[in-house]
């Protein structure tokens, strides 16, 4: 196993290469639906990372490993671990677009556990951050207005498709 010698890696680039190899191995494992194997690769990859890796050139690697880990832990039913990793991403990510996958994982995790109020609270919070205004207490008028907006959007999309 490639991770057995990790304690003997002293070179920074070799350490980061090991993280990349584990991330790629996890991606290949998920393509084969081997979620528990992917989980192990990601765990090994995370353990080779350091807090300063969230800065500079290794930011994207750290973001990818932690975001993917949160998703896989959720698929494996490790909700507390998944949520902890998602919150780590939210704490360290530089932009809203970098945080979206963590928010999606949190909503999915809360939903699977039947914690619907928390799932909705997170989802609505993200939508507000994305500029979508939602009424606190929607009523029939809100529903009708949104229905009309969707109908107009669909019509314009249909018109665009028929023109081409």
């Amino acid at each position: 196993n490639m991770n057995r010698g990790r304690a003997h890696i002293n070179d920074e680039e070799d350490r980061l290469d090991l993280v990349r190899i584990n991330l790629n191995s996890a991606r290949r494992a998920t393509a084969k639906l081997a979620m528990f194997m992917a989980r192990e690769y990601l765990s090994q990859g995370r353990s080779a990372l350091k807090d300063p890796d969230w800065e500079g050139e290794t930011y994207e690697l750290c973001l990818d490993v932690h975001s993917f880990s949160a998703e896989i832990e959720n698929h494996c039913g490790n909700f507390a671990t998944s949520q902890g990793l998602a919150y780590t991403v939210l704490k360290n990510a530089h932009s809203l677009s970098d945080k979206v996958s963590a928010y999606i994982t949190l909503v999915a995790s809360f939903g699977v556990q039947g914690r619907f109020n928390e799932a909705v609270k997170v989802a609505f919070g993200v939508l507000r951050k994305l500029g979508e205004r939602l009424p606190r207490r929607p009523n029939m008028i809100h529903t009708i207005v949104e229905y009309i907006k969707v109908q107009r959007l669909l019509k314009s999309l249909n018109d665009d498709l028929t023109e081409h």
Side-chain angles (χ1 to χ4, degrees), residues 90-156:
L90 295 176
K91 181 180 99 181
N92 292 289
H94 297 168
S95 68
L96 182 58
S97 63
D98 288 348
K99 295 177 182 183
V100 169
S101 70
Y103 283 126
I104 290 169
T105 299
L106 282 174
V107 170
S109 180
F110 290 144
V112 167
Q113 295 174 79
R115 295 165 59 186
F116 303 118
N117 287 338
E118 290 169 88
V120 168
K121 184 178 177 180
V122 171
F124 275 30
V126 173
L127 289 171
R128 281 188 200 96
K129 288 178 183 181
L130 291 169
E132 190 66 35
R133 293 194 317 225
L134 301 168
R136 292 251 183 239
R137 294 182 179 263
N139 58 35
M140 186 57 73
I141 293 173
H142 292 111
T143 304
I144 292 169
V145 168
E146 290 303 316
Y147 176 79
I148 291 169
K149 286 181 184 176
V150 169
Q151 290 300 316
R152 286 181 181 163
L153 179 62
L154 289 173
K155 183 179 180 335
S156 69

Side-chain angles (χ1 to χ4, degrees), residues 22-117:
N22 276 292
L23 177 60
N24 290 331
S25 296
R27 286 181 175 143
R28 284 193 304 277
T30 56
K32 296 177 183 178
L33 300 177
M35 297 301 177
F36 289 97
M37 184 61 73
R39 181 176 157 250
E40 182 58 30
Y41 286 126
L42 290 164
S43 175
Q44 292 291 332
R46 282 193 324 274
S47 67
L49 289 169
K50 300 175 183 174
D51 280 341
D53 289 331
W54 278 100
E55 301 303 323
E57 295 177 12
T58 54
Y59 168 77
E60 289 291 330
L61 178 62
C62 231
L63 179 67
D64 289 348
V65 168
H66 283 83
S67 296
F68 197 29
S69 292
E71 181 183 339
I72 296 302
E73 290 290 350
N74 191 53
H75 287 305
C76 291
N78 300 319
F79 304 120
T81 302
S82 172
Q83 291 162 17
L85 288 162
Y87 285 122
T88 297
V89 171
L90 295 176
K91 181 180 99 181
N92 292 289
H94 297 168
S95 68
L96 182 58
S97 63
D98 288 348
K99 295 177 182 183
V100 169
S101 70
Y103 283 126
I104 290 169
T105 299
L106 282 174
V107 170
S109 180
F110 290 144
V112 167
Q113 295 174 79
R115 295 165 59 186
F116 303 118
N117 287 338

